[in-house]
Amino acid sequence: MAGIYLHIPFCKQACVYCNFHFSTSMKQKERVLEAMMREIVLQKPYLADHVVDTIYFGGGTPSLLSADEVNRLIDALYANYKIGDLKEVTLEANPDDLGTPYLKALRHTPVNRLSIGIQSFRGEDLKYMHRAHDEQQADYAIKASQDAGFSNLTIDLIYGIPGLGDQAWIANLDRVRAYSVPHFSAYALTVEPRTALHYAVTQKKAEATDPGQAAGQFEILMERARQMGFDHYEISNFGLPGFHAIHNTNYWMGIPYLGLGPGAHSFNGNSRQWNVANNAQYAAGLLEHATLNMELEQLSDTDTLNEYIMTSLRTMWGMDMAKIELQWGSDVRKKLDLAAQDFMLQKQLVWENDHYRVTDKGKLFADRIASYLFFSGEHEKNR
Ligand code: SF4
């Protein structure tokens, strides 16, 4: 079992908070797509022993691809990889791209799930974040997608936006139910270094985010999602039963994946590698020198353990202590059991069926708890 991720590094305009790899110039689009076709062939050995059952178009903005371009990439995957019964083929889309003709054309591709970057249903939030769409397009995109036959939808929402009061946040969440959307992801707005938002905040040209507001809205989110019947199956992800994201869940379960395209990351259980996050360099490497510009990091046993601690604690399944003992030994287990006691006392972790899980209170600090539990060196506890 394995997944393939295709990174489409182009956007119509730059959202102020974004630190993903993308370009707002389309000049390189043909060359990058051509280079991706070459990379598909070049990377064939990476998944030679695996059957691919999920494909994910992420970005950037994959909905800037035509349906023909989507089909061309998927045909190349079929020609070079063992593609099984594809359970999930997701395409990230921005609302302003989801007109009816495009959606109808997408129905003639293997794409069976759309991930729509709504972020907010309020015009003022969309303007603050410099999104390319407005509130009418946010509404329309969902309805038009469903009318075109895409029932397996997920939408992205952002909370902690300056000016987004709690009632307005609840109203955004209520649209999920009103539109019968079976899955959504919700993220706190963060001011990342080297973003337009960071510059504007430091220059006092934009209001800064407030961690207290974000924490309060995360609590509202957990409560509302529960009332609406969603499983909170990963810190930022909520799905109705039967609609959990398969591709992303496989990431968290440590299943191998191959990332194709500029800036894309791959993981095979023993190492991570990532392609150069520069469209021109990526395309020149593949088209002119038949080489992939990328870096590789070999993972140590301790790296793999820490990664398991981090990802498992972010999911509703939690950290499986029998697995830890089997894979990393009883000494590691004992040290973890000891370190977890503090968080149990603070009611941030619970222990059930030999798994540690974060409580609602702990979910606010899941990454911090995980990093406290990390090991260093050859299974040496960090503190
Ligand atoms: S559309 Fe997505 S990838 Fe592009 S700038 Fe906005 S947040 Fe970033």
Side-chain angles (χ1 to χ4, degrees), residues 10-15 17-22 59-61 94 119 131:
F10 300 100
C11 294
K12 281 186 196 156
Q13 66 183 51
C15 306
Y17 56 87
C18 182
N19 66 349
F20 296 139
H21 170 61
F22 68 93
T61 310
N94 275 347
Q119 318 307 353
R131 295 288 305 181

Side-chain angles (χ1 to χ4, degrees), residues 29-41:
K29 188 178 165 209
E30 287 310 312
R31 266 174 74 75
V32 167
L33 288 183
E34 211 36 58
M36 287 178 74
M37 300 296 278
R38 301 264 179 105
E39 192 192 354
I40 287 172
V41 179

Side-chain angles (χ1 to χ4, degrees), residues 22 57 73 109 143 166 193 273 316 353 363:
F22 68 93
F57 287 85
L73 287 163
T109 72
K143 286 186 227 145
D166 290 350
Q273 61 187 58
M316 71 178 193
N353 302 324
K363 282 175 186 163

